Amino acid sequence: MPTCFLIDTMDNGYTWQDFDLFDVGVEYATEVLEIPEEYLESVVSYYGKHIEITLIETPQYTQEDWYYALLPYAA
């Protein structure tokens, strides 16, 4: 069960500058990727490369649509 994901494209009008200047990582993960905040362990931006999202390890989300949408980005 993957818990680390590398997102390399921005959606919904977000830019790399938003992540560096305004620290919108959690906002992006919860609003755009629809990940419930209680499952987020960390969201780290590597400017211009990717966003690394790490989830807490629990089987509770393995049947959720948002989790299946993340699987192509598994690290």
Side-chain angles (χ1 to χ4, degrees), residues 6-59:
L6 302 178
I7 310 297
D8 56 5
T9 58
M10 303 288 104
D11 290 327
N12 291 16
Y14 284 86
T15 66
W16 291 112
Q17 291 82 11
D18 294 333
F19 283 83
D20 283 347
L21 297 176
F22 304 113
D23 195 24
V24 296
V26 172
E27 177 183 316
Y28 186 82
T30 57
E31 291 183 17
V32 176
L33 301 175
E34 300 179 355
I35 302 170
E37 193 168 347
E38 63 265 20
Y39 296 126
L40 290 174
E41 184 173 306
S42 67
V43 180
V44 179
S45 171
Y46 295 91
Y47 186 79
K49 290 185 178 181
H50 60 263
I51 304 160
E52 182 179 288
I53 296 174
T54 305
L55 305 177
I56 61 169
E57 271 195 61
T58 179

